[in-house]
Amino acid sequence: KGGKSIVVSRRTILEREQRKHARERMKALKIGERMKGRILDVRDYGLLVDLGGGLDGLVHLSEVSWSRGVRPQDEGKRGDEVEVQVLRVQPSTRKDRHGRVSLSIRACQQDPWETHAEILREGHAQKGKVVRTAEFGAFVELAPGVEGMLHISELGGKNLTHANQVLKDGEEIAVLVERVDRGQRRISLS
């Protein structure tokens, strides 16, 4: 009446229903459960994955791959379908209205320490690629996802201050596995 109009919107109602549906979906998740998801966004700290039903989770940088130094943008792009495993579910609180779901892609992949068990024995000799150098030595990739540490004292010079004085990144060298600590996932090389 009187020429006045009313503007209405369903947006708030739809958003509330979506949050309710996402909370119900979150309650149904089980730790260790594997599922397919689609990458929503790629960030420096990890991948945001849509699990369906208005629920998304984060694959932290450390859970993207077994290999060290992998960047999330190297492992996937927006729209890619990935298999993930649920690591943690934190329900919503007053501080965090939406809750959080922690996911892992690496948990769905074969552990390289199990895949390459034949090279992880003391006394085994083989060629490896230098992946990075430091003051205390060099990290050598024995197989994809399996790296060992070659201490600077093993490089032969007494006056060395950095491994890059003897070795360069990408160089292939022959090494011997001295010690394997499966608990700490460390390999000492000679």
Side-chain angles (χ1 to χ4, degrees):
K1 292 183 177 180
K4 295 184 180 180
S5 18
I6 298 173
V7 177
V8 296
S9 172
R10 294 186 51 211
R11 182 177 176 188
T12 306
I13 296 169
L14 293 174
E15 286 174 349
R16 190 178 307 140
E17 287 175 4
Q18 185 179 16
R19 281 194 304 268
K20 180 183 174 190
H21 189 63
R23 278 193 302 271
E24 289 169 2
R25 176 105 164 84
M26 187 181 288
K27 287 178 186 176
L29 287 178
K30 306 234 182 313
I31 293 175
E33 179 180 356
R34 290 185 178 193
M35 62 187 66
K36 298 276 186 197
R38 198 163 292 288
I39 297 176
L40 285 174
D41 201 6
V42 179
R43 303 283 173 91
D44 289 337
Y45 54 84
L47 302 169
L48 292 169
V49 178
D50 178 18
L51 300 174
L55 184 63
D56 56 290
L58 174 68
V59 179
H60 188 267
L61 173 64
S62 62
E63 293 295 329
V64 170
S65 173
W66 284 102
S67 298
R68 291 183 187 200
V70 172
R71 300 178 327 174
Q73 48 269 42
D74 297 337
E75 292 298 308
K77 62 184 185 311
R78 188 178 288 180
D80 286 354
E81 188 174 278
V82 291
E83 184 178 7
V84 293
Q85 180 174 321
V86 178
L87 296 180
R88 271 186 321 280
V89 178
Q90 294 174 314
S92 58
T93 61
R94 290 183 115 182
K95 273 186 169 180
D96 184 9
R97 281 185 17 202
H98 304 290
R100 295 176 188 216
V101 179
S102 298
L103 305 169
S104 175
I105 292 174
R106 139 182 136 152
C108 297
Q109 300 169 342
Q110 184 78 25
D111 183 348
W113 279 58
E114 292 174 14
T115 306
H116 303 289
E118 72 281 354
I119 66 171
L120 298 177
R121 54 184 164 75
E122 295 173 4
H124 176 75
Q126 79 167 63
K127 290 195 178 228
K129 184 174 80 172
V130 176
V131 288
R132 64 187 179 281
T133 57
E135 290 179 7
F136 52 84
F139 291 93
V140 179
E141 182 181 57
L142 303 174
V146 180
E147 291 180 7
M149 218 297 270
L150 180 63
H151 194 268
I152 196 165
S153 63
E154 297 287 334
L155 298 177
K158 292 186 183 218
N159 297 326
L160 293 177
T161 57
H162 200 285
N164 67 5
Q165 292 172 305
V166 178
L167 299 171
K168 302 293 177 229
D169 290 356
E171 185 177 346
E172 195 167 296
I173 60 172
V175 293
L176 179 73
V177 176
E178 277 194 337
R179 282 186 308 281
V180 177
D181 182 349
R182 291 186 184 279
Q184 295 285 323
R185 295 180 75 93
R186 291 184 178 169
I187 302 169
S188 298
L189 302 172
S190 176

